[in-house]
C-alpha cells in the first residue's frame, strides 16, 4: 500500500459562468521516501490538486469525487477533529511564499511554539529545544528563534517554513512552489537542503512547480499536468530524456539551454483552454503539433507509452 | 520565479467572462446582488415620490385645514398633526427636501473628498503632508458644536445645513481615496503614462480616477447616508429651518408637541421610518459596490519577489 | 572620470564617426533609507559604465538587490542619478531642459514592464496607451493616421487581427498578449532602444519563448536595440548579443554573451551559471553550498562586495573595490584574482 493514494480525485469550483472542473479525475500514488514532482503551467490545476490532497480547499472549491488515502485512511471522509490529529504529525504543507504564511508580528520561535501546541502538549523548554534542533537542521542559527520574519532573508524564511513543517517528522511533506519567490542561487541551495533532509529524516515529498528543470535532479517521478488532467507520469529521467506527450515535449523544448548548441525555439503557440468550457476530445488538441482528426472527438485516457503513462491518442494502441 | 498563477486555477479564465464593461456593468451589478436590487428599488420609489408628490396626495401639506390630531383613516392615511395638517401629505412632500439634502450634500462631500484625497495620495511628499493634516483636522471637528456655533451667527437655512454636512462629511472619504490612490501610484500603467510625458493633472483625472469609479460611487452612497441621518438629527434638535418641509422638521414638531407621549404615534414614527428607509436604501446599494471593489472576490494572483524595492 | 574602451563595459571602441546610441559614465544612484532620520544610504547602483549600440540586444543580468531594475529606471528617467551621466547620442541627458527635449528622449527609450497585469490601465481598451503615445509623440499623424499606426504596431508584435484586438479590454487578453501590447506601445514611439524590465518573468514558460523571439524580430524589422533585464541567464543567452552581469550595484562582468557564459571570469558569474538548473548537466557543488544570501548594499564598506561569498577572496579584496579589466577582446571582469589590472 502506498503512503499516499489519490484516486480519481476531482475538484470543482462554482463560478458565475458555471461549474469549472479544476482537477479532473487525477490519480497520484506516492511511496514512502519518494520525491514526486508535479509540474505544469498556470491554470493546469496543480495547486488546486495540492490543496485538495491536503484538505485545504475553501469554498467555492470542493472535492466532487475520488479519494485521498493517506496510510490507508481516506482523508476526505475524516471529521475535522480526526484530520487535525493527522495534520502536521503525519503530513505537513509548505507554502509558496513564507512572507504570506508566517505571522509578521510574531517571532519565529513563538510561531514554532504555536505549531507544536496545536498538535501536542509539550513543555515550553522541550519545544524550544526541538525548535532549535530543527533550525540547525535547515542551516539556520538557533539565535533566530527570537527574530521576526522580516528580519530574515527570503531564503532563510523558506528554510524556517520547512523547519516548521518538519517539527513532528511527518511521513509526507507537500510543497507548493516553495522556491519560486527566491533567486536562482537560493533556489538551488534550498533544493539541495530538502534533498539532504529527505535522506536524513526519511519523508516523502510532493513538490508542485512550474519549473521542470528545477526538480529534474531531485525528483524520482514526475507528473505533468495540463488543463486539470495528468498528461504524463513517469520516472524523471525518462520524462526528460524522452517525453512521450506532445505537451511535455513542447514544454521541455521551451526552455532555452544554458549550454549546448543555440537553436531557435518556438514554445507552444496558443493558450490553455477555458476550463468552464473545455474543448471536446483531447484538451491539448488545439495546440498540438501532432494532432490527428480523432483527437477532436475522443477523450484520451492515460495509456502506457514506453515506461511512462501518457494521455495521448498516439499511444492508444489503435491504428491511426 | 513566480508565475502569475491564480489560486482558483481556472478562475482566471472564467473571471474574464464575468468582469463587467463600464456603463452596462452598473446595471448588471445592481441586478446580481439581491440587497442592491432592494436598495435600488427603494431609492427609485423615493425619487419618484419626490419628483411627483401630487400623484400620491391631493392635500396641501402646509394647510392646517383639518381637525387636529386625528387618527388614521381613509381620508388621512396617517392622520393629522396637532396643527391640523395632513401627515401623509407632509411626509410625501417632505421627501423632496430630504432627498435633495442627501444627494447634494453627498455629491459635494464626495467631490471634495475625491479631489483632496486623490491629490494627497498621488502627489505625495509635502503636498501629501499638508493635505493629510487638513483631512485629519476636519475629521475631528464635531458636527453639533460646529453648527451650534454657526447657528449663533447665521440664520439657519438649507444652505447652511448642507454646508455643515459637507464640511463634516468629506474627510472620512478623503482618507479612503488617499489610501487607494497611494496603492495605485506605482502601478506600471501610471509609470508608463508619466514616461509618455503626460501631464500630472491628466494622469490623475484620466488614468487614476476611472479605475476608482466603484470606490467613488461607494463614497457617494456613504456620504449620502451620512447626510440623511445627520440632517435629520440636526433638524430634529431644531437647528434646521423650521419653515422647511422635510422629514427632520416633521420630527422636530412632533417632538415639540410631545407626540409620543400623547399617543400621536404616527407623527413621530412615520418620518422616522422614512429616514430609516432612505438610509437603508443607500446602505443596501453600497453592498453591490463593495462586492465589485472587494479584492477577495477577484482571482488571487501570487506575485514574485520582483515586488521588492531596490533591485 | 574618463572611460577608455578598455576599462568600461562598452566592449569594442565606438566607431569613430558616431557616438554610441546610449552611454553611461559613472552612473550612480543611492537611496536614503531608514526610519525617521534616514541616516542610511542604500547603494543601489555604483559607478556603472556601459554603452549600447544600434540594433543590438544587450542583457543585464543579476539577482534581487543587484541594481538592474534601478538602472532601467535611471535610463527611463524615473529617478535622477545621484552622480554620473547618461549620454544619449552623445548628448548628456541631465542637460536636457526643455520639455520637448525630455519628451523626445523619453520617447526614444520607452520601457516595457514586468507585470502584465499592472502594465495596462484596466479601465480602458488596450488601444488607449498606444493612441496616447502616438498623440503625444507623433504629431505628424492625424486621427486616422494614428489608428493606422496602432494597427501596424499591433500586427508587428503578432497581435492579429489588429483591429479586433485593439478594441479589447486588458482582462480579455492573456498575460503573453498583454506583454505584446506593452511592446506595441514601445515601438509606437519609433524608439532607438527598448528597455525591457524582466518582460517574461511572470509569463508561463511555453509563452516566454514567443516573446523572446519577438524581441529578436523587432530588432530586424523596427531597427531597435533592446536592453533586456533579467535574472535568467538562459534566456539572456538565447536572445542577447552582449551580456552584463550585475552584483550588489556594480557591473562585475561584461562581454559577448557566448564568451561570458563559455568562459566566465568573475566568481559570481561562475556561481550564477552553476546554479542555473539544467537537466542535462550534473549538479555543481559550489552552487549547492552557497546560500544565496542577498548582498550588503546598505552603507557598504570599500572592497569587493562579493568577498563574503567568494571562494577566491584575498586580502586586497577587503579594501580595494575591483575595476573592470579586460580578460579577452571585448570581455571585461571586475576581480582582483581572475582579472587583475595591467594584463
Amino acid at each position: 500500500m502506498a503512503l499516499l493514494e489519490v484516486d480519481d480525485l476531482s475538484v470543482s469550483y462554482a463560478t458565475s459562468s458555471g461549474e469549472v472542473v479544476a482537477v479532473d479525475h487525477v490519480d497520484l500514488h506516492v511511496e514512502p521516501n519518494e520525491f514526486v514532482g508535479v509540474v505544469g503551467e498556470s491554470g493546469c490545476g496543480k495547486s488546486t490538486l495540492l490543496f485538495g490532497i491536503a484538505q485545504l480547499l475553501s469554498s467555492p472549491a470542493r472535492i466532487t469525487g475520488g479519494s485521498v488515502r493517506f496510510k490507508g485512511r481516506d482523508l476526505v471522509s475524516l471529521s475535522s477533529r480526526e484530520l487535525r490529529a493527522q495534520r502536521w504529525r503525519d503530513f505537513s504543507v509548505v507554502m509558496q511564499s513564507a512572507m504570506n504564511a508566517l505571522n509578521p508580528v510574531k517571532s519565529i520561535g513563538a510561531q514554532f511554539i504555536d505549531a507544536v501546541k496545536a498538535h501536542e502538549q509539550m513543555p515550553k523548554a522541550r519545544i524550544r529545544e526541538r525548535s532549535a534542533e530543527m533550525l540547525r537542521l535547515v542551516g539556520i542559527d538557533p539565535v533566530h528563534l527570537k527574530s521576526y520574519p522580516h528580519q530574515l532573508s527570503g531564503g532563510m524564511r523558506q528554510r524556517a517554513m520547512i523547519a516548521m513543517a518538519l517539527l513532528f517528522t511527518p511521513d509526507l511533506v507537500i510543497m507548493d512552489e516553495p522556491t519560486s519567490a527566491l533567486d536562482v542561487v537560493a533556489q538551488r541551495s534550498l533544493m539541495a537542503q530538502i534533498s539532504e533532509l529527505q535522506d536524513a529524516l526519511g519523508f516523502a515529498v510532493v513538490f508542485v512547480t512550474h519549473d521542470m528543470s528545477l526538480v529534474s535532479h531531485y525528483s524520482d517521478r514526475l507528473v505533468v499536468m495540463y488543463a486539470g488532467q495528468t498528461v504524463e507520469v513517469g520516472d524523471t529521467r525518462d520524462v526528460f530524456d524522452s517525453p512521450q506527450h506532445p505537451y511535455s515535449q513542447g514544454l521541455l523544448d521551451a526552455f532555452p539551454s544554458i549550454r549546448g548548441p543555440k537553436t531557435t525555439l518556438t514554445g507552444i503557440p496558443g493558450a490553455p483552454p477555458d476550463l468552464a468550457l473545455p474543448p471536446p476530445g483531447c484538451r491539448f488538441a488545439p495546440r498540438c503539433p501532432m494532432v490527428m482528426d480523432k483527437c477532436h472527438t475522443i477523450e484520451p485516457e492515460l495509456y502506457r507509452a514506453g515506461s511512462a503513462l501518457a494521455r495521448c491518442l498516439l499511444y492508444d494502441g489503435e491504428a491511426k | 520565479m513566480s508565475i502569475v498563477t491564480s489560486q482558483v486555477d481556472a478562475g482566471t479564465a472564467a473571471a474574464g467572462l464575468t468582469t463587467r464593461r463600464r456603463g452596462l456593468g452598473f446595471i448588471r451589478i445592481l441586478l446580481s446582488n439581491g440587497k442592491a436590487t432592494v436598495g435600488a428599488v427603494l431609492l427609485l420609489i423615493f425619487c419618484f415620490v419626490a419628483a411627483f408628490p401630487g400623484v400620491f396626495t391631493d392635500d396641501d401639506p402646509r394647510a392646517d385645514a383639518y381637525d387636529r390630531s386625528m387618527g388614521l383613516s381613509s381620508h388621512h392615511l396617517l392622520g393629522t398633526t396637532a396643527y391640523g395638517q395632513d401627515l401623509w401629505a407632509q411626509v410625501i412632500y417632505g421627501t423632496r427636501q430630504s432627498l435633495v439634502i442627501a444627494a447634494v450634500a453627498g455629491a459635494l462631500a464626495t467631490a471634495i473628498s475625491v479631489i483632496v484625497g486623490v491629490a494627497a495620495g498621488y502627489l505625495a511628499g509635502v503636498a501629501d503632508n499638508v493635505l493629510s493634516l487638513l483631512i485629519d483636522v476636519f475629521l475631528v471637528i464635531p458636527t453639533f458644536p460646529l453648527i451650534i456655533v454657526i447657528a449663533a451667527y447665521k440664520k439657519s437655512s438649507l444652505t447652511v445645513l448642507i454646508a455643515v454636512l459637507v464640511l463634516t462629511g468629506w474627510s472620512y472619504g478623503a482618507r479612503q481615496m488617499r489610501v487607494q490612490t497611494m496603492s495605485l501610484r506605482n502601478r506600471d500603467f501610471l509609470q508608463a503614462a508619466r514616461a509618455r510625458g503626460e501631464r500630472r493633472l491628466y494622469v490623475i483625472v484620466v488614468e487614476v480616477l476611472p479605475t476608482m469609479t466603484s470606490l467613488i460611487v461607494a463614497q457617494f452612497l456613504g456620504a449620502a447616508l451620512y447626510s440623511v441621518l445627520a440632517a435629520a438629527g440636526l433638524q430634529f434638535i431644531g437647528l434646521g429651518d423650521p419653515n422647511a418641509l422635510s422629514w427632520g422638521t416633521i420630527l422636530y414638531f412632533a417632538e415639540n408637541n410631545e407626540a409620543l407621549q400623547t399617543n400621536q404615534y404616527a407623527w413621530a414614527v412615520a418620518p422616522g421610518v422614512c429616514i430609516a428607509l432612505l438610509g437603508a436604501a443607500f446602505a443596501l446599494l453600497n453592498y453591490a459596490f463593495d462586492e465589485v471593489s472587494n479584492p477577495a472576490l477577484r482571482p488571487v494572483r501570487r506575485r514574485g519577489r520582483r515586488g521588492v524595492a531596490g533591485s | 572620470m574618463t572611460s577608455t574602451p578598455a576599462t568600461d563595459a562598452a566592449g569594442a571602441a565606438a566607431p569613430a564617426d558616431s557616438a554610441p546610441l546610449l552611454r553611461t559614465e559613472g552612473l550612480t544612484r543611492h537611496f536614503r533609507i531608514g526610519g525617521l532620520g534616514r541616516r542610511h544610504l542604500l547603494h543601489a547602483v555604483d559607478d556603472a559604465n556601459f554603452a549600447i549600440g544600434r540594433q543590438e540586444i544587450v542583457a543585464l543580468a543579476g539577482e534581487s538587490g543587484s541594481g538592474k531594475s534601478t538602472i532601467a529606471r535611471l535610463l527611463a528617467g524615473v529617478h535622477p542619478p545621484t552622480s554620473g551621466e547618461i549620454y544619449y547620442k552623445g548628448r548628456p541627458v541631465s542637460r536636457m531642459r526643455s520639455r520637448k527635449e525630455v519628451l523626445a528622449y523619453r520617447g526614444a527609450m520607452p520601457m516595457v514592464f514586468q507585470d502584465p497585469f499592472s502594465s495596462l490601465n484596466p479601465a480602458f481598451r488596450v488601444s488607449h496607451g498606444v493612441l496616447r503615445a502616438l498623440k503625444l509623440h507623433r504629431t505628424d499623424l492625424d486621427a486616422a493616421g494614428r489608428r493606422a499606426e496602432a494597427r501596424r504596431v499591433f500586427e508587428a508584435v503578432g497581435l492579429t487581427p489588429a483591429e479586433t484586438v485593439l478594441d479589447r479590454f486588458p482582462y480579455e487578453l492573456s498575460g503573453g498578449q498583454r506583454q505584446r501590447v506593452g511592446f506595441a506601445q514601445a515601438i509606437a514611439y519609433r524608439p532607438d532602444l527598448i528597455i525591457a524590465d524582466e518582460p517574461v518573468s511572470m509569463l508561463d514558460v511555453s509563452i516566454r519563448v514567443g516573446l523572446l523571439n519577438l524581441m529578436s524580430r523587432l530588432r530586424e524589422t523596427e531597427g531597435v536595440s533592446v536592453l533586456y533585464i533579467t535574472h535568467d541567464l538562459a534566456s539572456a543567452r538565447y536572445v542577447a548579443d552582449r551580456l552584463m552581469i550585475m552584483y550588489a550595484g556594480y557591473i562585475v562582468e561584461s562581454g559577448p554573451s557566448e564568451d561570458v557564459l563559455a568562459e566566465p571570469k568573475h566568481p559570481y558569474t561562475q556561481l550564477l551559471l552553476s546554479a542555473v538548473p539544467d537537466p542535462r548537466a550534473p549538479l555543481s557543488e559550489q552552487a549547492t553550498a552557497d546560500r544565496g544570501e542577498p548582498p550588503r548594499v546598505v552603507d557598504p564598506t570599500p572592497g569587493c562586495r562579493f568577498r563574503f561569498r567568494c571562494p577566491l577572496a584575498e586580502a586586497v579584496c577587503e579594501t580595494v573595490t575591483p575595476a573592470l579589466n579586460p580578460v579577452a577582446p571585448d570581455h571585461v571582469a571586475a576581480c582582483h584574482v581572475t582579472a587583475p589590472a595591467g594584463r
Side-chain angles (χ1 to χ4, degrees), chain C residues 21 52-58 107-110 183 186-187 189-195 214-227 241:
Chain C
L21 185 57
I52 300 176
R54 295 185 188 281
Q55 286 191 280
E56 72 170 338
I57 300 184
V58 176
M109 215 152 310
F183 276 101
I187 62 176
Y189 294 99
R190 279 194 305 201
D192 298 314
L193 169 70
I194 294 180
I195 304 172
L214 174 65
M215 289 194 320
S216 287
R217 203 168 64 236
L218 288 178
R219 183 207 359 209
E220 306 307 319
T221 58
E222 302 286 318
V224 78
S225 293
V226 181
L227 177 62
D241 306 311

Side-chain angles (χ1 to χ4, degrees), chain C residues 150-160 176-177 179-187 210-211 214 217-218 221-222:
Chain C
R151 271 199 298 273
R152 184 190 79 80
V153 297
F154 265 53
E155 271 164 21
V157 300
L159 288 170
T160 52
Q177 287 171 318
Q179 288 302 81
R180 285 174 192 262
V181 173
F183 276 101
Q185 284 180 1
I187 62 176
L211 268 299
L214 174 65
R217 203 168 64 236
L218 288 178
T221 58
E222 302 286 318

Side-chain angles (χ1 to χ4, degrees), chain B residues 24 30 39 58 62 65 71 106 116 128 130 163 165 241 255-256 265 279:
Chain B
L24 186 59
L30 296 179
D58 296 324
R62 294 178 195 279
V116 176
D128 181 20
V130 169
L165 290 175
D241 180 3
E255 171 59 19
N256 273 2
Y265 298 119

Side-chain angles (χ1 to χ4, degrees), chain A residues 8 24-27 224 226-232 244-247 278-286 288 290-305 309-318:
Chain A
D8 213 37
D24 195 8
H25 298 290
V26 167
D27 294 328
V224 182
Y226 182 79
Q229 298 174 320
T230 47
V231 295
E232 185 154 354
Q244 302 296 319
H245 194 284
Y247 175 65
C282 173
R283 295 189 185 176
F284 188 61
C288 184
M290 317 225 247
V291 63
M292 306 176 280
D293 283 332
K294 59 178 174 172
C295 299
H296 295 293
T297 45
I298 306 177
E299 275 192 44
E301 308 271 329
L302 273 175
Y303 306 110
R304 190 133 279 286
L309 293 171
R311 190 179 296 273
C312 180
L313 293 174
L314 286 171
Y315 308 101
D316 66 356
E318 291 169 20

